[in-house]
Amino acid sequence: MKRVIRLKAYAKINLFLDVKGKRDDGYHDIVSIMQSIDLYDIVTVKKKSSGGIKIICNNPSVPDDHNNIAYKCADLFFKTQGITSGSVEITIDKRIPVAGGLAGGSTDGASVLKALNILYDQNLDITELCTIGSKIGADIPYCLKGGTCLCEGIGDILTPFESDLKSYIFVLAEIPASVSTKEAYEIIDKNNIKENSLCVDEIINCLKEGNLRPNLLYNVFEKIEEQNIPQITSVKNVLDSFDALKSMMSGSGPTVFGIFSNLKNAASACSDLKDKGINAYICRSI
Ligand code: ATP
């Protein structure tokens, strides 16, 4: 019987993100196209005979108690499945920038659900794991599925589709600032920002053909965050100066990414950002 499972927990970027409006329950309905990339945390889940849920993480800014999304997922998994003596040690080797709009916490949580399903022989299918995950965070169902997905509702209604983005290179830049997702949504509500989702079907059709249409890609939060964090604009300018097809922000930010069709330009942009003291990563879609 297996006692340890180690998984790569992949980050996502949003190729498209729009807010449709606020719901009666306070959440917002969104329209988003999410894409997994090969930047990942390594999550190791070790089954123990006692001791409850323990979190170990190499990044001190990540909570190592019941506030960790991985902890919450393990706790809810045990409760939902009626496992009263569940004990695990969860080690998170954090490589994904924290609070960057890359779903770093959600992807750790999703990996824990996958691992516990195996370690505790529960045989839940992906839909059942998504039901548990969605109670912890709206991005967790997507992280369980991965790949390219149209995400609607609060982000939990998923329509996966095959895309062919192998020829594109993504340069991610970590912006040293923090973003309040709550405040960003409040600004959208207050300014009555209208949705811009009309071109989503067109984007999906293009992505299916492996043709990324840079001008159609959009993030409703980008302009709002650029007003608060000028580095978002300056990093986008650097990426554009190396001929990025598009530079934009992921999720509610502040991580910025540039999309390149030329590896040499992508590598030059990445090293230029590093020279400027910005953590930058070259990534591919997965
Ligand atoms: P999203 O794109 O889903 O909005 P994000 O990438 O912006 O998420 P996370 O990296 O998930 O943000 O972190 C958000 C907050 O959650 C952080 O401030 C952190 O303290 C907390 N957190 C809890 N568990 C984790 C975890 N396993 N990894 C990272 N952050 C976590």
Side-chain angles (χ1 to χ4, degrees):
M1 208 211 287
K2 264 194 177 304
R3 296 204 69 83
V4 183
I5 290 187
R6 176 166 297 161
L7 294 171
K8 289 178 179 171
Y10 292 102
K12 61 84 180 158
I13 51 174
N14 302 74
L15 296 173
F16 187 90
L17 176 56
D18 199 11
V19 175
K20 292 187 88 167
K22 194 169 180 178
R23 301 157 27 134
D24 292 342
D25 62 7
Y27 285 99
H28 289 78
D29 278 323
I30 64 160
V31 180
S32 182
I33 299 172
M34 298 204 202
Q35 174 65 52
S36 313
I37 49 167
D38 62 356
L39 174 67
Y40 54 83
D41 293 343
I42 300 174
V43 176
T44 309
V45 184
K46 202 183 284 179
K47 192 172 175 182
K48 305 285 247 190
S49 48
S50 63
I53 302 162
K54 188 175 175 202
I55 303 281
I56 301 166
C57 183
N58 60 340
N59 184 329
S61 71
V62 173
D64 62 0
D65 57 9
H66 63 278
N67 291 309
N68 195 296
I69 296 166
Y71 184 107
K72 291 182 189 176
C73 283
D75 190 44
L76 187 60
F77 182 89
F78 289 142
K79 284 187 177 136
T80 309
Q81 297 309 108
I83 300 167
T84 49
S85 57
S87 284
V88 278
E89 184 181 273
I90 300 167
T91 306
I92 302 167
D93 179 3
K94 185 52 75 188
R95 296 145 172 242
I96 302 170
V98 176
L102 302 172
S106 301
T107 193
D108 294 345
S111 289
V112 166
L113 292 175
K114 282 183 196 164
L116 293 180
N117 194 30
I118 298 167
L119 289 172
Y120 285 84
D121 293 319
Q122 295 299 297
N123 280 319
L124 298 183
D125 63 26
I126 191 91
T127 310
E128 291 167 308
L129 289 177
C130 285
T131 302
I132 300 175
S134 66
K135 292 180 181 139
I136 304 291
D139 282 347
I140 295 181
Y142 166 73
C143 292
L144 283 159
K145 289 213 162 87
T148 317
C149 242
L150 170 65
C151 307
E152 297 170 288
I154 60 168
D156 58 338
I157 302 173
L158 306 177
T159 312
F161 59 96
E162 289 295 322
S163 67
D164 181 6
L165 303 178
K166 281 190 290 294
S167 60
Y168 295 102
I169 305 115
F170 299 87
V171 175
L172 261 68
E174 203 176 327
I175 309 289
S178 66
V179 152
S180 162
T181 306
K182 193 168 165 274
E183 277 170 27
Y185 274 108
E186 280 167 6
I187 293 171
I188 285 179
D189 294 339
K190 216 164 49 203
N191 296 303
N192 205 14
I193 294 173
K194 289 275 169 278
E195 66 168 304
N196 185 24
S197 306
L198 293 174
C199 56
V200 166
D201 289 342
E202 200 179 337
I203 300 174
I204 292 172
N205 287 334
C206 291
L207 291 175
K208 284 180 180 170
E209 288 163 11
N211 167 20
L212 216 150
R213 288 276 298 279
N215 294 337
L216 296 181
L217 307 183
Y218 171 74
N219 182 338
V220 69
F221 291 109
E222 190 167 311
K223 281 218 157 55
I224 297 168
E225 297 304 342
E226 280 187 282
Q227 281 163 19
N228 298 328
I229 307 170
Q231 275 155 304
I232 293 174
T233 314
S234 56
V235 166
K236 279 170 56 184
N237 289 340
V238 172
L239 292 163
D240 291 342
S241 74
F242 287 92
D243 291 337
L245 302 172
K246 173 88 179 176
S247 59
M248 64 188 289
M249 197 179 78
S250 183
S252 53
T255 303
V256 166
F257 61 93
I259 307 172
F260 293 83
S261 54
N262 178 308
L263 180 58
K264 208 164 150 244
N265 290 353
S268 303
C270 192
S271 67
D272 190 68
L273 287 168
K274 285 180 179 168
D275 288 347
K276 291 180 164 69
I278 303 230
N279 289 334
Y281 313 82
I282 291 205
C283 300
R284 300 276 186 168
S285 62
I286 49 161

